[in-house]
Amino acid sequence: MKKIIINADDFGYSVNKNEAIKYGFQCGIVTSASIITNMEGFEQAVNEVLPDVPFLDLGFHFNIMEGKSLTNPSLITDSSGYFNRSYPEIMMEAPYKKFQRQIEAEFRAQIERILQYKHISHVDSHVHTHAIPQIFNVVSSLAKEYKIPFIRTQKELPYIVPSKGIIGINVIKNILLNTFTFINKLYLCEIDSNDYFLGVLYTGNMTKETIMEGLKKITDDDCITEIIFHPSIDVDIPKSKFLSKKRKNKHNKEFEIILDGNFRKELEQNDYFLTSFNYL
């Protein structure tokens, strides 16, 4: 059976994203979400949204790219404790033990903040920083310690949707993350992972068409594919009126997809079974 997890990243980032993820889960499309614990929307997510969706499967979205750190790791923050390193810079620092110790301390602080509120079923990260092999080893070891059973990997089979084209930087990211996944899966120990992934090649252009074309490349009969969205909504617009308004923001467009009741039907008609990490 081809199992699909539709995960909403960036829960806790802002009120706009929190509300979109709540609606997506209530509509039956979003099956899980990954929460950021160091951004401005965290308190609203845990105190106002989670009580409305108590059965939402929740993951931890480790973040060392944006916002204020919880432990002020000197190698990746400025003098005020805000993260200030690019992905290539983090890759350059990752092999060093001092950097890894700082990553471990920040992970502990972030994960323990959410564990006060809810059990966590999976781990991933903002901008896929945990895919960097040295960081992946730290994060997977900590996931094992905290008894978190799943960690995200990013094996996305190459494909092109002619009507959408493709962005060169996304191809580079796809090659890099596929390489990291090959390395990381060699060292997975007592932690499970998704088999396939969708959401890098068409970052910023996630539509039903790009998703269905990507799924066609996956021919395994028994596998787990994680599809990621980054939905957002203008919170002053009632949900019932949202689809009548045109939005240029790519995350608003992703919100439109998860409100589309036909999307789930199309997946099920093609023998895809929607599930979550909690039920695997």
Side-chain angles (χ1 to χ4, degrees):
M1 180 180 294
K2 293 182 178 180
K3 305 178 188 72
I4 289 180
I5 294 168
I6 296 182
N7 192 81
D9 283 7
D10 295 349
F11 187 43
Y13 189 98
S14 67
V15 171
N16 305 62
K17 293 180 182 293
N18 295 346
E19 293 299 317
I21 291 168
K22 179 178 75 172
Y23 289 143
F25 178 74
Q26 291 172 335
C27 288
I29 298 297
V30 170
T31 60
S32 67
S34 298
I35 191 164
I36 292 180
T37 60
N38 73 315
M39 298 298 286
E40 62 181 20
F42 176 75
E43 294 294 339
Q44 192 260 351
V46 295
N47 293 316
E48 299 179 31
V49 177
L50 279 183
D52 289 341
V53 286
F55 299 108
L56 175 66
D57 179 18
L58 197 63
F60 170 49
H61 204 51
F62 183 43
N63 178 21
I64 53 173
M65 293 295 293
E66 283 189 78
K68 196 174 192 303
S69 70
L70 301 186
T71 61
N72 296 334
S74 60
L75 294 176
I76 49 175
T77 60
D78 62 19
S79 59
S80 299
Y82 285 88
F83 292 115
N84 67 346
R85 292 291 185 267
S86 67
Y87 199 98
E89 289 173 328
I90 291 172
M91 286 176 59
M92 294 293 291
E93 295 280 0
Y96 297 101
K97 293 297 182 183
K98 181 179 179 181
F99 178 86
Q100 294 172 21
R101 288 193 294 270
Q102 292 189 4
I103 290 292
E104 179 179 347
E106 182 66 20
F107 182 102
R108 288 185 185 279
Q110 291 187 18
I111 189 68
E112 289 178 4
R113 192 176 187 202
I114 184 55
L115 289 177
Q116 299 175 52
Y117 298 91
K118 188 165 180 172
H119 166 74
I120 294 299
S121 67
H122 57 285
V123 175
D124 47 59
S125 62
H126 197 43
V127 199
H128 307 295
T129 50
H130 83 288
I132 299 169
Q134 295 90 345
I135 298 177
F136 187 89
N137 288 339
V138 173
V139 171
S140 59
S141 175
L142 289 168
K144 178 182 174 182
E145 177 183 333
Y146 284 97
K147 296 180 171 58
I148 303 169
F150 281 90
I151 186 169
R152 174 185 291 168
T153 53
Q154 298 91 347
K155 182 181 179 180
E156 184 170 15
L157 300 178
Y159 70 101
I160 295 177
V161 181
S163 64
K164 299 295 181 181
I166 199 161
I167 299 172
I169 187 64
N170 287 351
V171 174
I172 294 171
K173 288 192 292 185
N174 173 251
I175 294 170
L176 183 66
L177 290 171
N178 276 343
T179 302
F180 286 165
T181 294
F182 176 79
I183 296 168
N184 293 335
K185 284 199 171 185
L186 294 175
Y187 299 102
L188 276 174
C189 181
E190 297 181 37
I191 301 176
D192 289 322
S193 180
N194 53 300
D195 300 297
Y196 297 99
F197 183 79
L198 286 179
V200 172
L201 279 170
Y202 284 91
T203 295
N205 199 8
M206 292 285 282
T207 65
K208 286 196 295 182
E209 183 183 8
T210 59
I211 292 166
M212 297 307 292
E213 287 299 316
L215 289 173
K216 288 178 184 177
K217 289 289 183 179
I218 300 170
T219 58
D220 296 7
D221 290 328
D222 185 14
C223 62
I224 302 166
T225 300
E226 183 181 6
I227 304 171
I228 61 165
F229 283 94
H230 299 83
S232 186
I233 184 176
D234 292 339
V235 293
D236 58 330
I237 300 174
K239 181 178 62 169
S240 61
K241 296 181 180 179
F242 184 88
L243 292 177
S244 66
K245 295 179 177 288
K246 292 183 178 179
R247 296 291 177 209
K248 294 181 179 179
N249 186 295
K250 63 186 180 182
H251 293 165
N252 290 153
K253 290 179 180 178
E254 292 186 17
F255 178 61
E256 293 181 12
I257 299 172
I258 64 174
L259 285 189
D260 186 346
N262 290 324
F263 181 37
R264 183 177 185 126
K265 292 179 182 178
E266 287 181 38
L267 290 170
E268 292 173 344
Q269 287 169 357
N270 284 278
D271 298 323
Y272 297 112
F273 176 71
L274 264 66
T275 187
S276 66
F277 292 101
N278 266 337
Y279 288 98
L280 292 174

